[in-house]
C-alpha cells in the first residue's frame, strides 16, 4: 500500500491554498462540511477583501466575514469563529498561530482534525488527520473497525511510522478521490482494494 501510494502520489500537494499558518488555519476551518475546491474559490476573496492576518480579521464584524464565506456553509458559526480566534491569537499568542495541539484546539471553531492538519502542514509535526476519505478507506482496507474517527486515527498511527504520517494522510485522500470514491468504488475493481482483499462485493463502512 505504501509503495503504490508513493508511486501514484510521490509529492502530494496540500489541497487547500494558503501562504502561511494563519491562512491555512482559516482555510481548514472553512472546509468543514465544504469541498476544498469551494474553499479555494472563497479564500482569495476573503483575504483580498478583508485581510489575511489576525490583526485585520479581528477588527472585521462577523457579519461582514459571513457575507463572503456564506457559500462554504455554516456561515454564521464560521464567521464568528474566524473573528474570535483572530482576536485570541492577538491577545494570547502575539498574533501567531500556536504550534501545539492544545492551544490550537482551544481556539473557536478548531476541532481535533483541523488542529492536526495545521500541525502537519504548517509546522511539519507528524500528525494523522482523519477526514471522511481516510475514515472510509481505512475501514475498507481493514486497517480499523471504524468505531470512530479517533479510533481510526489511533489505529493508523499504530500501523505506520510517524515519518510517513504527514505524506500518507494526503496520499490516502487523493487516492480516495481519484480511485476509491464512496459512490464509485464497489470494493472489487479498486487497485488497492483488489490487491489486499479480492472480493465480490463492497465493504460496508461507517460514516465519520
Amino acid at each position: 500500500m505504501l509503495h503504490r501510494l508513493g508511486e501514484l502520489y510521490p509529492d502530494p500537494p496540500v489541497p487547500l491554498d494558503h501562504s502561511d499558518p494563519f491562512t491555512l488555519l482559516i482555510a481548514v476551518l472553512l472546509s468543514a462540511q465544504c469541498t476544498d475546491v469551494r474553499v479555494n474559490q472563497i479564500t482569495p476573496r476573503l483575504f483580498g477583501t478583508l485581510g489575511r492576518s489576525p490583526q485585520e480579521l479581528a477588527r472585521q464584524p462577523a457579519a461582514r466575514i459571513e457575507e463572503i464565506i456564506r457559500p462554504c456553509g455554516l456561515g454564521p458559526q464560521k464567521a464568528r469563529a474566524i473573528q474570535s480566534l483572530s482576536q485570541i491569537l492577538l491577545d494570547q499568542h502575539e498574533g501567531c498561530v500556536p504550534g501545539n495541539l492544545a492551544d490550537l484546539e482551544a481556539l473557536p471553531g478548531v476541532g481535533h482534525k483541523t488542529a492536526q492538519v495545521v500541525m502537519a502542514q504548517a509546522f511539519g509535526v507528524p500528525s494523522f488527520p482523519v477526514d471522511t476519505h481516510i475514515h472510509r478507506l481505512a475501514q475498507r482496507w481493514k486497517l480499523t473497525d471504524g468505531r470512530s474517527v479517533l479510533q481510526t486515527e489511533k489505529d493508523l498511527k499504530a500501523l505506520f511510522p510517524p515519518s510517513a504520517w504527514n505524506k500518507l494522510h494526503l496520499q490516502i485522500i487523493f487516492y480516495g478521490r481519484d480511485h476509491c470514491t464512496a459512490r464509485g468504488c464497489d470494493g472489487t475493481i479498486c487497485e488497492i482494494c483488489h490487491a489486499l482483499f479480492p472480493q465480490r462485493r463492497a465493504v460496508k463502512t461507517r460514516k465519520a
Side-chain angles (χ1 to χ4, degrees):
M1 185 189 305
L2 284 171
H3 176 72
R4 186 60 181 136
L5 289 174
E7 289 181 334
L8 290 170
Y9 308 102
D11 190 21
V14 178
L16 293 168
D17 296 337
H18 65 284
S19 58
D20 54 37
F22 181 71
T23 54
L24 175 63
L25 174 63
I26 298 304
V28 181
L29 186 155
L30 289 174
S31 71
Q33 298 185 37
C34 180
T35 66
D36 293 343
V37 172
R38 176 61 58 84
V39 173
N40 287 339
Q41 294 170 343
I42 298 300
T43 49
R45 184 183 172 206
L46 174 66
F47 299 141
T49 303
L50 302 185
R52 56 192 314 111
S53 69
Q55 292 84 353
E56 293 168 307
L57 290 182
R59 61 173 177 255
Q60 298 293 336
R64 181 71 181 99
I65 298 173
E66 183 187 350
E67 289 176 7
I68 297 176
I69 68 169
R70 188 175 293 118
C72 292
L74 303 177
Q77 300 96 307
K78 291 178 179 179
R80 289 194 297 269
I82 290 171
Q83 197 279 334
S84 297
L85 74 80
S86 296
Q87 188 61 55
I88 291 172
L89 292 181
L90 295 177
D91 295 341
Q92 301 180 17
H93 302 286
E94 299 181 344
C96 297
V97 175
N100 66 82
L101 278 174
D103 286 340
L104 282 170
E105 291 178 358
L107 296 172
V110 179
H112 183 66
K113 190 204 80 171
T114 296
Q116 289 230 82
V117 172
V118 173
M119 292 298 293
Q121 307 306 334
F123 300 111
V125 176
S127 304
F128 213 128
V130 174
D131 71 349
T132 54
H133 293 289
I134 295 176
H135 186 61
R136 172 172 45 82
L137 292 186
Q139 294 175 68
R140 190 173 283 173
W141 296 343
K142 301 189 186 303
L143 305 179
T144 184
D145 63 9
R147 281 178 291 168
S148 68
V149 173
L150 290 178
Q151 184 62 47
T152 297
E153 177 191 330
K154 181 179 178 181
D155 292 339
L156 293 175
K157 284 182 173 179
L159 284 169
F160 299 103
S163 60
W165 293 351
N166 289 357
K167 179 180 286 190
L168 181 58
H169 100 268
L170 291 174
Q171 291 170 328
I172 295 176
I173 288 172
F174 281 108
Y175 187 86
R177 292 175 178 177
D178 295 341
H179 302 287
C180 196
T181 65
R183 294 182 180 179
C185 180
D186 64 3
T188 64
I189 58 177
C190 160
E191 181 179 351
I192 290 181
C193 286
H194 184 72
L196 292 175
F197 308 104
Q199 53 200 349
R200 297 182 176 225
R201 57 194 176 92
V203 173
K204 293 183 179 180
T205 59
R206 302 180 187 181
K207 293 184 178 181

